Amino acid sequence: MDTPLKHSRLYWLHALTPVHVGVGRGLDYIDLPIMREKITHWPIVPSSAVKGVLRAHYEETENSLVDVAFGSGGDSDANAGSLNFTDAHIVCLPVRSLYGTFAWCTSPMALRRFLRDITTYGGDGAGLEIPAVANANASITSSDTALAERNTVFLEDLDFSNTASEQAKNWALYIARSVFGESSWQEAFVSRFIILSDDTFNFLCDTGTEVNARIRIEQETKTVVPGALWYEESLPAETLLAGGVWCERLYKGKAGSTTADALFSQYCCKPLHLQIGGNATTGQGQVRCIFDSEAAKP
């Protein structure tokens, strides 16, 4: 088992609206794709985006420890900051369902990597096990799930036979407590949580994102600018991603008597409503940022 980092915790990003954290121009039919991990091609939100948005949020408070926590620029006294963030990796992808409206989908490999992060960043993974799921099957939390009809789950144009498992239920409860706390969304999440095979999850991560056609309007004539049509990809609303944050050392020249625990208490504790990625003026990129707590433990 991995040894947890001394000063660390998990953080979550819960997309409230579509989120576009892009990589510039694409080479395929999608002109503006989202950022993806190289080895899996699964969507991610890079650590630089998370850290930059948090810094901008806390700069408004004019707190003197912002530079200590998130770093500062300059020629002579620049530093990278004491808080280190990983990329936010996908844990659950929302997919349209014939029953139950939509499902929060994940896979054994996604959960296996997430379980490693739980252990590394100070969480409690006791009781969390990785189920084996065949390509045509799905693991659900219980027989009265909101997703199934006659033992079959229909996601987009795919159908799966399902099996209720204790492993799926334990994962659903852990994630629900972490992301939704004591709200009524806990029950909604558990009844819509589903574990698919790795191959199916790979397919949905490639095809289950939002792709929208965008145009640019000429201000004077209020008509479409010739050739100004492009396709833009976004993570759908309700996507769940998770990463880790830790404090390896403090920059003593600026930190004074500040401790790592004090930085976590100030900057990595309470839930935050943030805007991340592009298209802020059209309402996109709205996320909840939630830091792990004792309430998430089984």
Side-chain angles (χ1 to χ4, degrees):
M1 182 175 291
D2 295 335
T3 302
L5 296 174
K6 185 176 181 181
H7 298 287
S8 62
R9 66 184 55 181
L10 287 167
Y11 74 89
W12 290 85
L13 295 180
H14 171 208
L16 302 177
T17 65
V19 176
H20 173 80
V21 180
V23 293
R25 303 292 295 185
L27 300 177
D28 207 341
Y29 76 96
I30 300 176
D31 300 293
L32 298 178
I34 58 175
M35 186 165 287
R36 292 177 178 270
E37 190 177 37
K38 178 67 175 179
I39 60 170
T40 63
H41 209 240
W42 295 348
I44 62 170
V45 173
S47 57
S48 56
V50 177
K51 190 172 183 178
V53 167
L54 283 170
R55 178 188 171 86
H57 173 82
Y58 281 110
E59 273 184 333
E60 298 178 0
T61 66
E62 299 182 1
N63 190 289
S64 59
L65 295 179
V66 168
D67 288 345
V68 176
F70 300 105
S72 61
D75 295 329
S76 60
D77 59 349
N79 66 271
S82 301
L83 297 179
N84 305 292
F85 290 80
T86 70
D87 297 338
H89 298 97
I90 192 156
V91 177
C92 292
L93 179 74
V95 177
R96 183 167 58 97
S97 174
L98 181 62
Y99 300 102
T101 309
F102 72 94
W104 272 288
C105 302
T106 189
S107 78
M109 180 56 73
L111 293 177
R112 194 180 304 277
R113 299 179 78 196
F114 179 49
L115 182 57
R116 183 177 60 191
D117 286 346
I118 291 173
T119 304
T120 301
Y121 302 110
D124 186 351
L128 298 175
E129 299 178 352
I130 310 300
V133 183
N135 277 342
N137 297 335
S139 183
I140 56 176
T141 56
S142 66
S143 57
D144 60 350
T145 176
L147 303 173
E149 178 69 18
R150 297 179 182 177
N151 296 322
T152 304
V153 174
F154 300 90
L155 302 179
E156 294 289 354
D157 57 350
L158 307 175
D159 59 274
F160 307 90
S161 58
N162 63 78
T163 303
S165 71
E166 195 67 21
Q167 296 102 318
K169 185 174 182 180
N170 289 339
W171 274 108
L173 290 172
Y174 180 91
I175 298 172
R177 282 191 292 261
S178 299
V179 177
F180 299 109
E182 299 301 322
S183 75
S184 60
W185 276 98
Q186 265 204 43
E187 181 180 351
F189 178 86
V190 171
S191 67
R192 289 167 174 80
F193 179 77
I194 188 169
I195 305 175
L196 305 172
S197 71
D198 292 327
D199 290 342
T200 302
F201 188 68
N202 290 345
F203 173 77
L204 290 173
C205 281
D206 280 337
T207 63
T209 56
E210 289 192 18
V211 179
N212 296 309
R214 302 285 303 277
I215 59 173
R216 187 167 70 250
I217 300 295
E218 174 61 53
Q219 293 300 313
E220 293 183 0
T221 62
K222 305 301 181 184
T223 59
V224 178
V225 176
L229 167 68
W230 70 95
Y231 290 89
E232 185 174 284
E233 184 182 25
S234 300
L235 277 171
E238 304 300 337
T239 300
L240 301 181
L241 308 100
V245 54
W246 73 99
C247 182
E248 187 171 317
R249 68 170 194 166
L250 291 170
Y251 291 88
K252 294 296 184 180
K254 297 181 179 182
S257 59
T258 301
T259 64
D261 288 337
L263 288 182
F264 275 112
S265 297
Q266 186 157 355
Y267 298 112
C268 302
C269 185
K270 64 182 180 180
L272 300 172
H273 189 123
L274 305 172
Q275 194 285 325
I276 193 165
N279 303 322
T281 58
T282 55
Q284 294 197 18
Q286 300 297 311
V287 301
R288 294 170 60 233
C289 180
I290 310 105
F291 294 94
D292 202 13
S293 67
E294 293 294 321
K297 298 180 180 180

